[in-house]
Amino acid sequence: MSVPNPLIATQVVQWQAVHGRNHLPWQQTRDPYRVWLSEIMLQQTQVTTVLGYYERFLQAFPDVASLAAAPEDDVMALWSGLGYYSRARNLHKCAKAVMAEHGGAFPRSAEVLATLPGIGRSTAAAIASFCFGERAAILDANVKRVLTRVLAFGEDLSSSRNEKVLWAMAEDLLPTQDLQHSMPRYTQGLMDLGATICLPRNPSCLVCPLQADCRAAQRGNPQGYPVKTRKTKRGSQAWWLLVLRDVGGNLCLQRRPSSGGDTGIWAGLFSPPVYAGAEALNTQLATLGVQVQARQDWPAQLHVLTHRDLFLHPVVVDVAGVQPALDVQDAGWQWQSPAAWPQLGLPAPVRKLLQDL
């Protein structure tokens, strides 16, 4: 494969300054804490969704020290509804590592940043590029699409060997001059092209600054890139949720385990107790030692995860008394008041379910 046009970086930098996204709050700073926070939140999440969470996080945790010192439950509660909750747990771990191992200052190189919890190679490069002008390549999903099309890189990215080749080509394309200015612009420009121009379907090739250099466009098949033959199989699963409510409106919730089996879903968050089937839920309900006043079996609700369809079957049970004792060995069951449960870290479908009660 021939050497890419060295003017590509210049064209991306110039385009980004005029046509790219320059109004987002994390673009107005080179504070690595704020840039890091935005990069983690933006992983697999739309900008419009992230904006509100970003502002709320900064209000609660204005710097890495305050985030590191916060209880994990407070972090998870603020993240509630944003999804991919391992990001929040790693965010908290990373803040603690920055305080403990780096004196409260984020490392200035992508290589060292990538050793921190939750920061992969591409995210590390983005932080180092935006904040410190380091010549480091990013390669997230959008950028892979842009570069494979520009280069007509048709190798299967399911292969780690082929992905390493693309990494090397991405590094060859990086700007070489005035890095403090050009690297942030170039990095943001690639992101902007992938998000607004070089779309998976119906790319806007006519307004792309790289059209003249884009080999896929010249061949008339940009939608043929990137190539990735190994697809993740989608699965489905059904969960029954036992929603216990007492006469005072208190709800019984349980913290999800942090690891093991299917418990990775909503790990560390609060939800009603979960069962694999209606029979298991009914057996548990019969042994709780509570007086059931009413029961509602709600219709199944579909919750779409990245690689799985989760069918939730809420069973709402009203019991006599206020916070009655429950005959369960699991100490994780906790009665939560109407004022307390909205402040907990709750998965989005659970929060909506409880709000609809």
Side-chain angles (χ1 to χ4, degrees):
M1 189 171 290
S2 59
V3 178
N5 186 343
L7 294 178
I8 285 176
T10 301
Q11 292 163 348
V12 171
V13 168
Q14 292 174 346
W15 175 85
Q16 202 286 326
V18 178
H19 301 289
R21 297 177 294 186
N22 297 291
H23 64 285
L24 301 172
W26 46 83
Q27 295 175 320
Q28 315 309 317
T29 179
R30 289 201 173 187
D31 177 355
Y33 172 71
R34 294 180 174 229
V35 172
W36 161 71
L37 179 61
S38 71
E39 286 297 316
I40 300 301
M41 287 187 166
L42 287 166
Q43 292 171 359
Q44 298 179 292
T45 306
Q46 296 289 332
V47 168
T48 52
T49 302
V50 165
L51 285 169
Y53 282 90
Y54 179 77
E55 294 300 332
R56 289 191 290 273
F57 249 79
L58 288 180
Q59 289 173 9
F61 312 120
D63 50 39
V64 69
S66 59
L67 177 57
E72 183 176 298
D73 281 348
D74 290 357
V75 177
M76 299 302 288
L78 269 178
W79 196 275
S80 180
L82 197 55
Y84 303 98
Y85 294 98
S86 61
R87 293 182 298 173
R89 289 188 293 275
N90 283 329
L91 194 83
H92 198 213
K93 291 177 183 176
C94 183
K96 290 184 174 184
V98 169
M99 295 302 299
E101 301 168 16
H102 300 281
F106 277 83
R108 297 179 64 88
S109 76
E111 183 178 7
V112 180
L113 283 165
T115 66
L116 292 169
I119 299 183
R121 180 177 177 180
S122 190
T123 299
I127 298 168
S129 169
F130 286 133
C131 300
F132 310 120
E134 183 179 0
R135 193 171 182 269
I138 65 169
L139 206 60
D140 63 12
N142 279 344
V143 174
K144 284 180 182 178
R145 185 167 60 255
V146 173
L147 295 186
T148 55
R149 288 174 175 177
V150 168
L151 302 170
F153 185 85
E155 303 302 319
D156 187 356
L157 293 182
S158 296
S159 162
S160 60
R161 181 180 66 179
N162 292 334
E163 186 160 296
K164 287 178 182 178
V165 173
L166 185 60
W167 270 111
M169 300 182 78
E171 290 171 345
D172 288 342
L173 283 171
L174 293 171
T176 57
Q177 297 179 337
D178 191 16
L179 298 184
Q180 290 297 316
H181 167 76
S182 62
M183 276 307 306
R185 286 279 187 204
Y186 177 73
T187 302
Q188 186 63 53
L190 287 181
M191 292 178 173
D192 292 347
L193 283 173
T196 64
I197 302 294
C198 196
L199 303 174
R201 298 178 180 85
N202 301 317
S204 302
C205 296
L206 293 179
V207 296
C208 178
L210 300 180
Q211 182 191 18
D213 295 293
C214 181
R215 297 171 185 169
Q218 292 165 6
R219 297 175 183 181
N221 66 335
Q223 294 183 166
Y225 302 87
V227 176
K228 189 172 184 180
T229 59
R230 189 184 308 126
K231 304 295 184 181
T232 302
K233 294 182 179 178
R234 289 196 63 79
S236 63
Q237 192 171 3
W239 281 2
W240 273 255
L241 307 182
L242 176 57
V243 184
L244 293 175
R245 178 173 56 185
D246 71 6
V247 295
N250 300 292
L251 301 174
C252 187
L253 301 177
Q254 182 182 35
R255 188 194 296 273
R256 297 280 298 161
S258 59
S259 62
D262 290 320
T263 56
I265 301 174
W266 303 344
L269 300 178
F270 285 86
S271 84
V274 172
Y275 300 89
E279 184 177 353
L281 182 149
N282 291 333
T283 299
Q284 178 73 84
L285 181 59
T287 64
L288 289 179
V290 294
Q291 180 182 348
V292 176
Q293 293 187 319
R295 170 175 173 157
Q296 304 174 58
D297 289 61
W298 288 20
Q301 303 173 10
L302 172 62
H303 179 53
V304 178
L305 301 172
T306 307
H307 304 307
R308 187 178 311 187
D309 292 329
L310 195 58
F311 292 90
L312 305 176
H313 299 259
V315 178
V316 181
V317 177
D318 290 298
V319 299
V322 176
Q323 298 189 13
L326 302 172
D327 186 10
V328 288
Q329 295 180 346
D330 187 344
W333 293 47
Q334 303 173 24
W335 286 103
Q336 301 287 346
S337 71
W341 70 254
Q343 309 307 316
L344 298 176
L346 301 169
V350 168
R351 185 175 296 277
K352 184 177 186 308
L353 164 64
L354 301 185
Q355 289 171 341
D356 290 343
L357 289 176

